[in-house]
Amino acid sequence: EADIYQTPRYLVIGTGKKITLECSQTMGHDKMYWYQQDPGMELHLIHYSYGVNSTEKGDLSSESTVSRIRTEHFPLTLESARPSHTSQYLCASSRAGGDYTFGSGTRLTVV
Amino acid sequence: SQQGEEDPQALSIQEGENATMNCSYKTSINNLQWYRQNSGRGLVHLILIRSNEREKHSGRLRVTLDTSKKSSSLLITASRAADTASYFCAPEPGHGNNRLAFGKGNQVVVIP
């Protein structure tokens, strides 16, 4: 049973549109993460947060932004989508020293 | 790199056979974790082994850790078609940011 939820599951959107990918968790985890993954490829960390009002950029540069106003919610926003943003976006959460719980992902296609 | 590096990157076996995957890393670690990903889905945590542990079991899974060689292995015994997935190792560094560093993954195909 998933305790971390990502919506939408699939999104096809035109170039230049603003989009927000939602991620919510009900486990009270302080740490949350966004990864970008192309099919069959490795995960790239693009953003992470260690608590409310704390956000940091990850290892892979991304034009997206994130916010963490509530513990359970960690949305990712693209102000102006481009075809190069086409990818799968995975959200995860964890406690310190523990395992990560992943959402099912959002597969984004920008046309 | 702090990433785990899996070997082999692709493995194809018959149902009922055992599947072994290896992972190497370069820094000291607090723990090392293995995850599984079915095509197009999120990762699912399989097992966590701490740096002071050498072996851990969970059902048909057996994980070993050799910190002197900075390597780990994941063994799936009596594989099933449903085990077809990508398997990632993720060391948690013992210093710095403590974030998991996922490798490229092992793609395992179990043929019925």
Side-chain angles (χ1 to χ4, degrees):
Chain A
E1 184 178 344
D3 295 311
I4 183 164
Y5 305 94
Q6 287 188 245
T7 58
R9 181 78 180 89
Y10 300 95
L11 179 62
V12 180
I13 201 161
T15 298
K17 298 291 187 184
K18 177 180 178 179
I19 58 170
T20 296
L21 308 185
E22 301 288 349
C23 177
S24 295
Q25 51 99 3
T26 59
M27 297 167 286
H29 287 169
D30 287 329
K31 300 185 176 186
M32 295 189 75
Y33 314 85
W34 276 103
Y35 290 87
Q36 185 174 342
Q37 183 188 32
D38 292 324
M41 303 297 285
E42 63 195 291
L43 281 76
H44 294 286
L45 180 68
I46 52 175
H47 298 284
Y48 64 96
S49 167
Y50 283 175
V52 171
N53 294 326
S54 157
T55 62
E56 301 287 344
K57 290 191 178 295
D59 306 317
L60 180 69
S61 176
S62 173
E63 293 166 345
S64 58
T65 59
V66 292
S67 63
R68 190 89 183 276
I69 299 171
R70 303 198 315 267
T71 298
E72 61 270 22
H73 196 211
F74 192 40
L76 181 145
T77 298
L78 273 167
E79 290 293 332
S80 180
R82 294 208 302 268
S84 59
H85 296 138
T86 294
S87 190
Q88 174 158 260
Y89 293 84
L90 294 169
C91 180
S93 70
S94 74
R95 285 198 175 88
D99 56 275
Y100 287 23
T101 302
F102 280 82
S104 296
T106 293
R107 188 172 294 281
L108 172 66
T109 302
V110 183
V111 298
Chain B
S1 165
Q2 297 173 330
Q3 280 180 314
E5 295 182 8
E6 294 90 349
D7 171 56
Q9 292 202 335
L11 180 64
S12 183
I13 57 173
Q14 293 290 134
E15 200 166 30
E17 293 181 340
N18 295 342
T20 300
M21 289 155 269
N22 301 303
C23 170
S24 60
Y25 58 91
K26 295 184 179 178
T27 65
S28 62
I29 60 170
N30 290 329
N31 63 67
L32 185 140
Q33 305 180 26
W34 285 91
Y35 289 77
R36 169 183 141 152
Q37 184 180 35
N38 287 85
S39 179
R41 309 294 293 185
L43 280 70
V44 174
H45 177 257
L46 294 176
I47 200 163
L48 181 155
I49 186 164
R50 302 199 183 280
S51 59
N52 61 353
E53 296 176 309
R54 292 297 166 256
E55 188 170 309
K56 205 159 183 181
H57 297 254
S58 176
R60 293 184 294 112
L61 305 179
R62 182 173 81 101
V63 167
T64 63
L65 180 65
D66 187 335
T67 52
S68 67
K69 295 181 180 177
K70 291 186 167 58
S71 67
S72 174
S73 68
L74 171 67
L75 168 68
I76 305 173
T77 60
S79 63
R80 304 168 182 168
D83 294 327
T84 294
S86 291
Y87 293 83
F88 293 81
C89 78
E92 181 184 289
H95 60 276
N97 56 52
N98 301 125
R99 294 195 302 272
L100 292 186
F102 291 90
K104 295 181 180 179
N106 282 95
Q107 193 162 15
V108 174
V109 175
V110 181
I111 302 165

